[in-house]
Short mmCIF file of all heavy atoms in Angstrom, two decimals:
data_model
loop_
_atom_site.label_atom_id
_atom_site.label_comp_id
_atom_site.label_asym_id
_atom_site.label_seq_id
_atom_site.Cartn_x
_atom_site.Cartn_y
_atom_site.Cartn_z
N VAL A 509 23.87 -26.07 -5.34
CA VAL A 509 24.74 -25.55 -6.40
C VAL A 509 26.19 -25.55 -5.91
O VAL A 509 26.47 -25.09 -4.81
CB VAL A 509 24.33 -24.12 -6.82
CG1 VAL A 509 25.23 -23.60 -7.92
CG2 VAL A 509 22.87 -24.09 -7.27
N GLU A 510 27.06 -26.08 -6.74
CA GLU A 510 28.49 -26.12 -6.42
C GLU A 510 29.26 -25.49 -7.58
O GLU A 510 29.04 -25.86 -8.73
CB GLU A 510 28.92 -27.56 -6.22
CG GLU A 510 30.34 -27.72 -5.77
CD GLU A 510 30.68 -29.17 -5.51
OE1 GLU A 510 30.27 -29.70 -4.46
OE2 GLU A 510 31.35 -29.77 -6.36
N ILE A 511 30.13 -24.52 -7.27
CA ILE A 511 30.84 -23.76 -8.30
C ILE A 511 32.33 -23.96 -8.14
O ILE A 511 32.85 -23.99 -7.03
CB ILE A 511 30.51 -22.25 -8.18
CG1 ILE A 511 28.99 -22.03 -8.19
CG2 ILE A 511 31.15 -21.46 -9.30
CD1 ILE A 511 28.49 -21.40 -6.95
N ASN A 512 33.03 -24.06 -9.28
CA ASN A 512 34.49 -24.19 -9.29
C ASN A 512 35.11 -22.97 -9.93
O ASN A 512 34.69 -22.54 -11.00
CB ASN A 512 34.89 -25.45 -10.09
CG ASN A 512 34.37 -26.69 -9.42
OD1 ASN A 512 34.85 -27.09 -8.37
ND2 ASN A 512 33.37 -27.31 -10.01
N PHE A 513 36.14 -22.42 -9.25
CA PHE A 513 36.82 -21.22 -9.71
C PHE A 513 38.31 -21.50 -9.87
O PHE A 513 38.87 -22.31 -9.13
CB PHE A 513 36.68 -20.08 -8.69
CG PHE A 513 35.27 -19.67 -8.42
CD1 PHE A 513 34.57 -20.18 -7.33
CD2 PHE A 513 34.63 -18.74 -9.23
CE1 PHE A 513 33.27 -19.79 -7.06
CE2 PHE A 513 33.32 -18.36 -8.98
CZ PHE A 513 32.64 -18.87 -7.88
N SER A 514 38.91 -20.80 -10.81
CA SER A 514 40.36 -20.84 -10.97
C SER A 514 40.84 -19.42 -11.24
O SER A 514 40.04 -18.55 -11.62
CB SER A 514 40.74 -21.76 -12.15
OG SER A 514 40.29 -21.22 -13.37
N PRO A 515 42.15 -19.19 -11.05
CA PRO A 515 42.68 -17.87 -11.38
C PRO A 515 42.39 -17.57 -12.85
O PRO A 515 42.58 -18.44 -13.71
CB PRO A 515 44.17 -17.99 -11.12
CG PRO A 515 44.30 -19.15 -10.18
CD PRO A 515 43.18 -20.09 -10.53
N ASP A 516 41.90 -16.36 -13.13
CA ASP A 516 41.51 -16.07 -14.51
C ASP A 516 42.69 -15.74 -15.40
O ASP A 516 42.62 -15.94 -16.60
CB ASP A 516 40.44 -14.99 -14.59
CG ASP A 516 40.93 -13.63 -14.12
OD1 ASP A 516 41.99 -13.55 -13.50
OD2 ASP A 516 40.22 -12.64 -14.39
N GLN A 517 43.78 -15.24 -14.83
CA GLN A 517 44.97 -14.94 -15.62
C GLN A 517 46.19 -15.24 -14.78
O GLN A 517 46.25 -14.86 -13.61
CB GLN A 517 45.00 -13.47 -16.04
CG GLN A 517 43.89 -13.08 -16.96
CD GLN A 517 43.92 -11.58 -17.25
OE1 GLN A 517 44.82 -10.87 -16.87
NE2 GLN A 517 42.90 -11.12 -17.95
N PRO A 518 47.20 -15.90 -15.36
CA PRO A 518 48.42 -16.14 -14.60
C PRO A 518 49.03 -14.81 -14.16
O PRO A 518 49.04 -13.84 -14.90
CB PRO A 518 49.34 -16.85 -15.61
CG PRO A 518 48.42 -17.37 -16.66
CD PRO A 518 47.23 -16.46 -16.69
N GLY A 519 49.46 -14.77 -12.93
CA GLY A 519 50.10 -13.57 -12.41
C GLY A 519 49.14 -12.56 -11.82
O GLY A 519 49.55 -11.60 -11.18
N ARG A 520 47.85 -12.75 -12.01
CA ARG A 520 46.86 -11.84 -11.45
C ARG A 520 46.28 -12.49 -10.20
O ARG A 520 45.19 -13.04 -10.20
CB ARG A 520 45.77 -11.54 -12.46
CG ARG A 520 44.88 -10.42 -12.05
CD ARG A 520 43.95 -10.04 -13.17
NE ARG A 520 42.94 -9.13 -12.64
CZ ARG A 520 41.81 -8.88 -13.24
NH1 ARG A 520 41.53 -9.44 -14.39
NH2 ARG A 520 40.95 -8.05 -12.71
N GLN A 521 47.04 -12.44 -9.14
CA GLN A 521 46.73 -13.17 -7.91
C GLN A 521 45.43 -12.68 -7.27
O GLN A 521 45.16 -11.49 -7.21
CB GLN A 521 47.88 -13.02 -6.92
CG GLN A 521 47.76 -13.98 -5.78
CD GLN A 521 49.09 -14.23 -5.15
OE1 GLN A 521 50.12 -14.09 -5.76
NE2 GLN A 521 49.06 -14.61 -3.89
N GLY A 522 44.65 -13.61 -6.80
CA GLY A 522 43.44 -13.30 -6.06
C GLY A 522 42.19 -13.15 -6.91
O GLY A 522 41.09 -13.23 -6.40
N HIS A 523 42.30 -12.93 -8.20
CA HIS A 523 41.10 -12.78 -9.03
C HIS A 523 40.79 -14.12 -9.67
O HIS A 523 41.60 -14.68 -10.39
CB HIS A 523 41.30 -11.70 -10.10
CG HIS A 523 40.02 -11.30 -10.73
ND1 HIS A 523 39.57 -11.85 -11.90
CD2 HIS A 523 39.06 -10.43 -10.33
CE1 HIS A 523 38.39 -11.33 -12.20
NE2 HIS A 523 38.07 -10.47 -11.27
N MET A 524 39.58 -14.62 -9.40
CA MET A 524 39.19 -15.94 -9.89
C MET A 524 37.90 -15.84 -10.69
O MET A 524 37.08 -14.95 -10.47
CB MET A 524 39.01 -16.90 -8.72
CG MET A 524 40.26 -17.03 -7.85
SD MET A 524 40.07 -18.30 -6.61
CE MET A 524 40.83 -19.66 -7.50
N THR A 525 37.73 -16.80 -11.61
CA THR A 525 36.49 -16.89 -12.38
C THR A 525 36.00 -18.33 -12.41
O THR A 525 36.77 -19.28 -12.27
CB THR A 525 36.68 -16.39 -13.83
OG1 THR A 525 37.72 -17.13 -14.45
CG2 THR A 525 37.01 -14.91 -13.87
N CYS A 526 34.72 -18.48 -12.64
CA CYS A 526 34.08 -19.79 -12.68
C CYS A 526 34.46 -20.52 -13.96
O CYS A 526 34.30 -20.00 -15.05
CB CYS A 526 32.57 -19.60 -12.62
SG CYS A 526 31.62 -21.11 -12.91
N PHE A 527 34.96 -21.75 -13.80
CA PHE A 527 35.24 -22.58 -14.97
C PHE A 527 34.29 -23.77 -15.06
O PHE A 527 34.32 -24.53 -16.02
CB PHE A 527 36.70 -23.06 -15.00
CG PHE A 527 37.06 -24.05 -13.92
CD1 PHE A 527 36.88 -25.41 -14.11
CD2 PHE A 527 37.60 -23.61 -12.73
CE1 PHE A 527 37.23 -26.33 -13.13
CE2 PHE A 527 37.97 -24.53 -11.73
CZ PHE A 527 37.77 -25.87 -11.93
N GLY A 528 33.40 -23.90 -14.09
CA GLY A 528 32.41 -24.97 -14.12
C GLY A 528 31.54 -24.92 -12.88
O GLY A 528 31.98 -24.46 -11.83
N PHE A 529 30.31 -25.39 -13.03
CA PHE A 529 29.42 -25.47 -11.87
C PHE A 529 28.43 -26.61 -12.09
O PHE A 529 28.25 -27.08 -13.21
CB PHE A 529 28.69 -24.14 -11.61
CG PHE A 529 27.69 -23.76 -12.65
CD1 PHE A 529 26.35 -24.13 -12.52
CD2 PHE A 529 28.06 -23.02 -13.76
CE1 PHE A 529 25.43 -23.76 -13.48
CE2 PHE A 529 27.14 -22.65 -14.72
CZ PHE A 529 25.81 -23.03 -14.58
N GLY A 530 27.84 -27.03 -11.00
CA GLY A 530 26.87 -28.10 -11.09
C GLY A 530 25.70 -27.88 -10.16
O GLY A 530 25.84 -27.28 -9.09
N VAL A 531 24.55 -28.35 -10.60
CA VAL A 531 23.36 -28.39 -9.76
C VAL A 531 23.27 -29.84 -9.30
O VAL A 531 23.01 -30.74 -10.10
CB VAL A 531 22.12 -27.94 -10.54
CG1 VAL A 531 20.88 -28.04 -9.67
CG2 VAL A 531 22.31 -26.51 -11.05
N LYS A 532 23.55 -30.06 -8.02
CA LYS A 532 23.70 -31.40 -7.45
C LYS A 532 22.38 -31.90 -6.85
O LYS A 532 22.17 -31.91 -5.64
CB LYS A 532 24.81 -31.39 -6.40
CG LYS A 532 26.13 -30.80 -6.90
CD LYS A 532 26.66 -31.56 -8.08
CE LYS A 532 28.02 -31.05 -8.53
NZ LYS A 532 28.54 -31.74 -9.67
N ILE A 533 21.48 -32.32 -7.72
CA ILE A 533 20.13 -32.71 -7.32
C ILE A 533 20.16 -33.87 -6.33
O ILE A 533 19.32 -33.95 -5.44
CB ILE A 533 19.29 -33.04 -8.57
CG1 ILE A 533 19.22 -31.80 -9.46
CG2 ILE A 533 17.90 -33.53 -8.20
CD1 ILE A 533 18.73 -32.05 -10.87
N GLN A 534 21.15 -34.75 -6.44
CA GLN A 534 21.22 -35.90 -5.54
C GLN A 534 21.31 -35.48 -4.08
O GLN A 534 20.90 -36.21 -3.19
CB GLN A 534 22.40 -36.82 -5.91
CG GLN A 534 23.75 -36.41 -5.38
CD GLN A 534 24.48 -35.37 -6.21
OE1 GLN A 534 23.93 -34.80 -7.13
NE2 GLN A 534 25.74 -35.12 -5.88
N ARG A 535 21.81 -34.29 -3.83
CA ARG A 535 21.95 -33.81 -2.45
C ARG A 535 20.59 -33.57 -1.78
O ARG A 535 20.51 -33.55 -0.57
CB ARG A 535 22.77 -32.53 -2.41
CG ARG A 535 24.21 -32.76 -2.75
CD ARG A 535 24.99 -31.48 -2.68
NE ARG A 535 26.41 -31.74 -2.95
CZ ARG A 535 27.30 -30.79 -3.07
NH1 ARG A 535 26.96 -29.52 -2.95
NH2 ARG A 535 28.57 -31.09 -3.32
N LEU A 536 19.56 -33.40 -2.57
CA LEU A 536 18.24 -33.17 -1.98
C LEU A 536 17.73 -34.42 -1.26
O LEU A 536 16.91 -34.31 -0.36
CB LEU A 536 17.25 -32.71 -3.05
CG LEU A 536 17.59 -31.36 -3.68
CD1 LEU A 536 16.65 -31.05 -4.85
CD2 LEU A 536 17.57 -30.25 -2.66
N LEU A 537 18.22 -35.59 -1.63
CA LEU A 537 17.89 -36.82 -0.89
C LEU A 537 18.72 -36.94 0.37
O LEU A 537 18.25 -37.43 1.39
CB LEU A 537 18.14 -38.05 -1.77
CG LEU A 537 17.01 -38.49 -2.67
CD1 LEU A 537 17.43 -39.66 -3.53
CD2 LEU A 537 15.76 -38.85 -1.89
N TYR A 538 19.98 -36.51 0.30
CA TYR A 538 20.91 -36.67 1.42
C TYR A 538 20.74 -35.60 2.49
O TYR A 538 20.86 -35.86 3.67
CB TYR A 538 22.36 -36.62 0.94
CG TYR A 538 22.72 -37.67 -0.07
CD1 TYR A 538 23.45 -37.33 -1.18
CD2 TYR A 538 22.36 -38.99 0.10
CE1 TYR A 538 23.81 -38.29 -2.12
CE2 TYR A 538 22.71 -39.95 -0.83
CZ TYR A 538 23.44 -39.60 -1.93
OH TYR A 538 23.79 -40.54 -2.85
N GLU A 539 20.54 -34.36 2.08
CA GLU A 539 20.54 -33.24 3.00
C GLU A 539 19.12 -32.71 3.13
O GLU A 539 18.56 -32.19 2.17
CB GLU A 539 21.47 -32.14 2.48
CG GLU A 539 22.90 -32.63 2.35
CD GLU A 539 23.81 -31.60 1.68
OE1 GLU A 539 23.49 -30.41 1.70
OE2 GLU A 539 24.84 -32.03 1.15
N GLN A 540 18.57 -32.81 4.31
CA GLN A 540 17.20 -32.38 4.54
C GLN A 540 17.14 -30.95 5.11
O GLN A 540 16.10 -30.47 5.48
CB GLN A 540 16.51 -33.35 5.49
CG GLN A 540 16.47 -34.77 4.96
CD GLN A 540 15.74 -34.89 3.65
OE1 GLN A 540 14.72 -34.27 3.44
NE2 GLN A 540 16.28 -35.69 2.74
N SER A 541 18.28 -30.27 5.17
CA SER A 541 18.34 -28.93 5.73
C SER A 541 17.71 -27.91 4.78
O SER A 541 17.87 -28.00 3.56
CB SER A 541 19.82 -28.57 5.95
OG SER A 541 19.95 -27.19 6.17
N PRO A 542 16.99 -26.91 5.32
CA PRO A 542 16.44 -25.86 4.46
C PRO A 542 17.53 -25.09 3.72
O PRO A 542 17.27 -24.51 2.67
CB PRO A 542 15.70 -24.94 5.44
CG PRO A 542 15.53 -25.72 6.68
CD PRO A 542 16.61 -26.75 6.71
N SER A 543 18.75 -25.09 4.22
CA SER A 543 19.83 -24.35 3.57
C SER A 543 20.40 -25.08 2.36
O SER A 543 21.24 -24.53 1.65
CB SER A 543 20.95 -24.05 4.58
OG SER A 543 21.56 -25.26 4.99
#
């Protein structure tokens, strides 16, 4: 799972919210790590 965050309001520094995420199934072929 990969998540993208951006500042949720201009001027409110440090507070971020998710604007998109993906379940990257292709990584299961590339990465054999349990993590």
